Amino acid sequence: MILAQSEGFDPLNPRIEIGQWADDLVSWFEDTFKPVLDLISDGLGGAYDGLSNALREPSVILIVLLFGLIGLLFWERFPPLRALSMSFVVVPIVLGGAAGWGVHALGEELESQFLALLIVFALIGWLVRSWAFGIFSAVAFYVVAGMDEWDRAMETLSLVLISVIIATLIGVPLGILAAKSQVVSNAIRPVLDFMQTMPAMVYLIPTLFAFGIGVVPGMISTIVFAMPPGVRLTEHGIRNVDTEVVEAGQAFGSPPLRILRQIQLPLALPTIMAGINQVIMLALSMVVLAAMVGAAGLGLEVVRGLQGLQIPRGAEAGLAVVVLAIFLDRIVAALADRAPVVRASRVRD
Amino acid sequence: MAAVRAEGLYKVFGRKADLAVQQLKQGASREEVAKLGVTPAVIDASFEVEPGEIFVVMGLSGSGKSTLIRMLNGLWHATDGHIYVDGTDIVNAHGAELRQMRKEKISMVFQHFALLPHLTVAENAAYALDIQGMPKEERFARAEEALEMVGLGGWGDRFPVQLSGGMKQRVGLARALAAGSEIMLMDEAFSALDPLIKREMQEQLLQLQSSLNKTIVFITHDLNEAMRLGDRIAVMRDGRIVQIGTAEEVLNDPANDYVAQFVADVDRTRVLTASSIMEPAQFVVNADSGPREAQYTMREKQMVAAFAVGRRGDKLHGVVHDQDVVSAVRRGDKSLEGIIDTDVGAVHQDTYLVDLFAPSAENPLPLPVIDDEKRLVGVVPRVTLLSAMASIADVVHTADSPAQDAATTGVTRGFGTEASNAGQGGDA
Ligand SMILES: Nc1ncnc2c1ncn2[C@@H]1O[C@H](COP(=O)(O)OP(=O)(O)O)[C@@H](O)[C@H]1O
Ligand SMILES: [Mg+2]
């Protein structure tokens, strides 16, 4: 078919059918990998549905678990507590869980779907960063709820979180490989450039064909678009670990994987976290595009606002995106700050 | 058996490394093979390091020292040649085999310390033991022992960022010591430290070595350091080892102009010993004889004082002064015993020149030089010491040495401290 078209090729008046070839490639791809595509589609779609439902209408179990986690953070955050015996650690988890149960009951009582999660976000903001940020988070998410964007914000958060997790799960190992092997590095660099510079709209089209309308093509495009900084910064971080320190590992007989685990990853962690932060920001920047192929959430609201030239709709959804962005950015940055290397570098007498 | 033996070792960086080695073996120069687009970093290096020895490899920056030392534990593969560690050729060893050898036999200390910044001092010191698979408690106990050895007992809870450069390197040293291996590689281990700290570390290393007896390959670009630490020194230039010998051999009998120029700069007062400048003792009388015989000898040679030396074994008893001898004769004493002054400031033959200044200044007589059996082996008259100093100073001030960048500052500063040390009787 490709041949048939190039038969009539006139070098002086060329028409190179790259668009057609891309189309052929996509259909071939679709036919060949149908089972795989279905698997991906079901997996991503299922994960998204599960998470967005859980966030919009959090069950008591989820809230209890989250509060247990907060109890643990609380414990870890305050040195006098940490100094107590390790077997004590169940106590804050159990206490946290109990508090979660109470908060959930209170939410039911007040018929407020968002209350429990809002408290979770605020507490995480406090424990991971500062009390000021905790208050900011509480107010910001309260405003989101007040704009009636809560459910959509949770849908967008689900889309972003799942995309980011997958982009990280693929991107970080790729970055490690690229740092270890010049061949891999050379091979993936142009691919990453391509993924990042190709207008994102363009690969919405093939994913649309492969996965149909809905949230899945949006997530795939988001993953593809957001992944490159994760790969790049991982590679950069690992390559920039002081060679002498890596040599020290080798000189004392440590095998390569152990050097990766004990030396390279811990030392590269702040850089890798910076990469993940960028992945999150890029993923958030994709929500509007994802909405164009059928993903729900804040993006869709922006698109509708655009189509209907409705300033209030667009503004409210846009502001909610900003709240998510600030929250995720500060949390990840604070986590990066708690990496062992960073902490150790701050120790003073 | 040598602890480490290198035989015809080559390391050439670049694609056509093997071809380059062939050409080098056929006598091509470094510059000629460089046309192949390769960098010959180590060329035909052969040497043996004996157990318990500090073997120093010295050369300017870029002469191939780091490359050489990294081949000894297989961090970098040799392009050609053989390396025997405890008799086993490791050049073709791979992966697990090499790692086993590093765990058991060779540890390393790095120029910039190479500590793991996210681990505590104790965890760093225990790192090698962790890799060896030692249980936690045991390895922390061993690490603490090693930290105590280097004077950092009780610092285990700190993080590297809290330590000064010298202390960091002590941790690096403790990590290598804790590993328990017989061979230690030290690549410019003290080069990143301030001169005073560096001196301290050198002393400490020597002190540790006197009890531990490790086999140490020590890399440096600092000639003074090489002279101070090395039982033997290999001088490297442009990838080749141009001379191997003791400090004195390298100083007094440089293999070629390059070495001669290099060593022109060294602080000889810290290398040369009393035995290398002493002169035969002429003013000697027999301690077992009577005052009359002594008086006769002294009058004959117009001495004002003489060293009293026992007949059997030449043992130095002390010094006798002319007026005491005359009085003893007048009194009719039968032996010299009553008039021998034992406070003569005798110095051992291995005393460094720098440590001769104080005794020499205090003593009007030439300094008697003795050996382990207290036998008088020679004397150092003050004039000899001063003229030795003068000739060294001449060399230092006129030399346009290739070691300028590396050693000059050390030497000039060295002289300053030498002068002040002299008054305090040195610090070694
Ligand atoms: N990985 C490498 N690739 C290419 N050339 C190298 C490499 N490492 C060192 N060299 C070259 O080998 C020579 C010796 O370097 P090195 O062993 O580091 O010297 P030194 O430690 O004596 O300063 C230098 O010319 C250096 O540029
Ligand atoms: Mg070097």
Side-chain angles (χ1 to χ4, degrees), chain A residues 250-273:
Chain A
Q250 294 168 334
F252 288 105
S254 184
L257 276 180
R258 192 158 178 187
I259 292 179
L260 182 68
R261 177 166 60 80
Q262 286 185 320
I263 300 180
Q264 290 169 309
L265 283 179
L267 296 195
L269 192 58
T271 315
I272 295 174
M273 291 294 269

Side-chain angles (χ1 to χ4, degrees), chain A residues 185-338:
Chain A
S185 174
N186 291 341
I188 64 173
R189 186 162 307 136
V191 179
L192 293 180
D193 289 340
F194 182 87
M195 282 159 70
Q196 242 183 339
T197 50
M198 191 80 175
M201 297 281 270
V202 176
Y203 41 71
L204 276 181
I205 309 169
T207 51
L208 202 56
F209 275 96
F211 298 102
I213 289 207
V215 74
V216 175
M219 280 164 85
I220 301 269
S221 309
T222 304
I223 292 168
V224 171
F225 182 69
M227 191 167 55
V231 182
R232 286 216 169 93
L233 283 169
T234 301
E235 176 180 356
H236 178 74
I238 288 183
R239 279 185 188 267
N240 273 26
V241 171
D242 187 356
T243 27
E244 235 189 35
V245 180
V246 176
E247 274 183 343
Q250 294 168 334
F252 288 105
S254 184
L257 276 180
R258 192 158 178 187
I259 292 179
L260 182 68
R261 177 166 60 80
Q262 286 185 320
I263 300 180
Q264 290 169 309
L265 283 179
L267 296 195
L269 192 58
T271 315
I272 295 174
M273 291 294 269
I276 292 175
N277 206 345
Q278 288 198 24
V279 170
I280 294 176
M281 294 305 116
L282 287 182
L284 272 167
S285 74
M286 280 289 285
V287 294
V288 173
L289 281 176
M292 289 181 161
V293 289
L298 297 168
L300 188 59
E301 198 63 3
V302 174
V303 172
R304 295 221 178 101
L306 205 63
Q307 284 163 346
L309 294 178
Q310 292 168 301
I311 291 179
R313 259 188 138 166
E316 289 182 353
L319 188 61
V321 172
V322 172
V323 168
L324 285 181
I326 293 176
F327 182 73
L328 293 174
D329 174 69
R330 297 299 136 85
I331 293 291
V332 173
L335 286 177
D337 248 19
R338 293 152 75 87

